[in-house]
């Protein structure tokens, strides 16, 4: 799955034919096709499951890889896999009944084979609707029920479901996704696919010394074009980062000095330190009609001057600090 400018690649969900027996599976297939990822339909164990596998991107034949230069090839893990097991509501409730009846260290996840090395995530479609449909009607309550039928019916409701969800999360570290429809499941699968494709880039970025610094479309703030468009907006945003600076005050400084270099040149032309500190103090600030005229003031003028001229990295610009 080529993902954005970073070129993140993943070869993704392979579903078993058992999933195709459900009419709602067409929604999932259509969503995966719209996402643009590569998927395969093939038998696998366990049945009714989705498995994600990421492969290393092939290098460009001409030697110029389209993969982001910020992510080295060794970061990509070809053997990394994730598994999502789909359960019918009835099958899920039967497993919950088994969990709530067993105590002690002999717990075992009912839906996962003990021989399985991977512990999948679980997804149940339409559990709430199924529980409501199992509630007996007034006529059914009046009719006596045979002991055999009563024993066969699982007495599992939402309290038992919530108890089992906590048990699975704390004891087995197993997440359970409860969705109302195949549409909701498809949205989760697509979101997880994108997150998995981005995982190597994010892990590599977080391992860097300045992990909060990003580039390209990931960066927040003003977008700078190659011709310099946006530099003045970035200068304005830099002034806005000072405490107690409104948009109108930043506009006043940028209007008088459209770039930091022009302001530094003006500071260099000043003959005294006091003149430099008060250089911006009398700049007029645009305000609405009927509002008393304002100016930038000596406090902000002093802080901007120190910011652009000081050589002390530990200097506090704000007197209130």
């Amino acid at each position: 799955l080529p993902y954005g400018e970073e070129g993140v690649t993943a070869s993704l969900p392979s579903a078993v034919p058992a999933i195709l027996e459900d009419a709602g599976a067409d929604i999932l297939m259509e969503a995966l096709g719209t996402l643009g990822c590569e998927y395969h339909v093939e038998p696998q164990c366990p049945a009714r499951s989705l498995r994600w596998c990421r492969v290393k991107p092939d290098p460009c034949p001409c030697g110029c890889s389209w993969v982001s230069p910020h992510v080295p090839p060794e970061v990509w893990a070809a053997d990394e896999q994730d598994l999502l097991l789909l359960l019918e509501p009835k099958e899920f409730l039967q497993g919950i009944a088994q969990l709530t009846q067993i105590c002690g260290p002999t717990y075992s996840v009912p839906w996962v084979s003990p021989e399985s090395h991977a512990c999948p995530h679980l997804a149940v479609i339409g559990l709430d609707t199924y529980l409501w449909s199992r509630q007996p009607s007034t006529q059914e309550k009046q009719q006596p029920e045979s002991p055999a039928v009563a024993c066969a019916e699982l007495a599992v409701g939402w309290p038992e479901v919530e108890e089992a969800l906590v048990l699975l999360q704390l004891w087995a570290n197993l997440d359970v996704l409860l969705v109302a429809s195949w549409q909701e499941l498809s949205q989760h699968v697509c979101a997880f696919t994108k997150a998995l494709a981005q995982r190597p880039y994010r892990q590599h970025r977080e391992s860097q010394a300045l992990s909060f610094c990003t580039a390209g479309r990931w960066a927040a703030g003003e977008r700078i074009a190659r011709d310099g468009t946006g530099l003045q907006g970035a200068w304005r945003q830099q002034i806005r980062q000072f405490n107690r600076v409104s948009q109108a005050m930043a506009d006043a400084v940028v209007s008088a000095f459209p770039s930091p270099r022009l302001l530094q040149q003006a500071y260099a032309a000043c003959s005294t330190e006091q003149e430099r500190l008060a250089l911006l103090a009398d700049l007029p600030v645009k305000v609405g009609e009927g509002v008393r005229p304002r100016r930038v003031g000596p406090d902000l003028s002093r802080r901007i001057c120190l910011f652009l001229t000081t050589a002390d990295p530990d200097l506090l610009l704000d007197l209130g600090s």
Side-chain angles (χ1 to χ4, degrees):
L1 172 64
Y3 193 84
E5 299 176 358
E6 287 70 32
V8 180
T9 302
S11 66
L12 297 166
S14 56
V16 299
I19 291 182
L20 301 181
E21 297 176 0
D22 195 302
D26 293 340
I27 300 176
L28 177 60
M29 299 296 110
E30 182 179 355
L32 293 176
T34 304
L35 185 62
C37 67
E38 177 185 355
Y39 66 91
H40 306 277
V41 180
E42 57 187 23
Q44 66 180 17
C45 185
R48 290 180 56 82
S49 62
L50 296 171
R51 186 182 302 273
W52 286 262
C53 302
R54 184 171 52 237
V55 297
K56 295 181 180 179
D58 295 329
C60 180
C62 60
C64 53
S65 175
W66 54 266
V67 180
S68 171
H70 302 292
V71 183
E74 58 269 15
V75 173
W76 299 84
D79 57 346
E80 186 176 0
Q81 296 186 357
D82 287 270
L83 185 65
L84 179 66
L85 177 60
L86 305 183
L87 299 176
E88 293 288 348
K90 184 176 182 180
E91 181 183 5
F92 180 66
L93 294 179
Q94 289 175 344
I96 286 181
Q98 178 181 343
L99 276 177
T100 55
Q101 293 173 2
I102 301 177
C103 298
T106 58
Y107 278 137
S108 62
V109 180
W111 313 280
V112 181
S113 173
E115 292 79 14
S116 176
H117 298 286
C119 188
H121 305 287
L122 303 181
V124 186
I125 304 175
L127 178 62
D128 188 53
T129 303
Y130 181 80
L131 288 175
W132 277 104
S133 66
R134 288 182 54 211
Q135 292 184 355
S137 62
T138 304
Q139 183 178 1
E140 291 174 344
K141 291 180 181 179
Q142 295 174 354
Q143 295 178 354
E145 193 173 31
S146 63
V149 176
C151 293
E153 188 68 20
L154 292 175
V156 178
W158 271 115
E160 290 77 18
V161 170
E162 294 175 353
E163 178 184 352
L165 292 178
V166 174
L167 177 63
L168 291 172
Q169 179 66 49
L170 298 181
W171 167 74
N173 194 25
L174 186 64
D175 295 325
V176 180
L177 175 67
L178 302 179
V179 293
S181 62
W182 276 89
Q183 181 68 33
E184 189 175 345
L185 175 67
S186 301
Q187 294 174 356
H188 171 80
V189 169
C190 291
F192 186 82
T193 300
K194 290 182 179 180
L196 182 65
Q198 297 172 10
R199 186 182 297 174
Y201 171 77
R202 290 180 176 177
Q203 290 177 343
H204 177 70
R205 185 184 67 187
E206 293 173 357
S207 65
Q208 303 305 302
L210 302 177
S211 60
F212 54 87
C213 294
T214 56
R217 63 186 181 88
W218 295 93
E222 291 288 334
R223 188 178 184 89
I224 310 299
R226 292 182 178 273
D227 59 357
T229 304
L231 286 174
Q232 193 172 100
W235 169 227
R236 182 181 292 104
Q237 288 295 105
Q238 189 173 22
I239 297 174
R240 287 293 308 277
Q241 292 180 8
F242 288 95
N243 292 333
R244 306 180 301 279
V245 176
S246 64
Q247 181 68 43
M249 296 175 67
D251 290 339
V253 176
V254 173
S255 298
F257 300 95
S259 71
R261 177 58 60 87
L262 293 176
L263 183 54
Q264 287 178 325
Q265 292 174 354
Y267 286 139
C270 294
S271 57
T272 64
E273 180 68 16
Q274 292 300 325
E275 186 180 354
R276 281 193 292 270
L277 293 175
L279 180 64
L280 305 178
D282 293 329
L283 292 179
V285 177
K286 292 183 179 181
V287 293
E289 296 182 1
V291 181
R292 182 180 177 180
R294 297 179 55 192
R295 59 194 182 97
V296 170
D299 178 57
L300 179 60
S301 177
R302 181 191 63 84
R303 286 185 286 160
I304 294 179
C305 176
L306 294 177
F307 174 70
L308 292 177
T309 60
T310 185
D312 183 5
D314 298 322
L315 180 65
L316 296 178
L317 302 179
D318 198 332
L319 292 177
S321 300

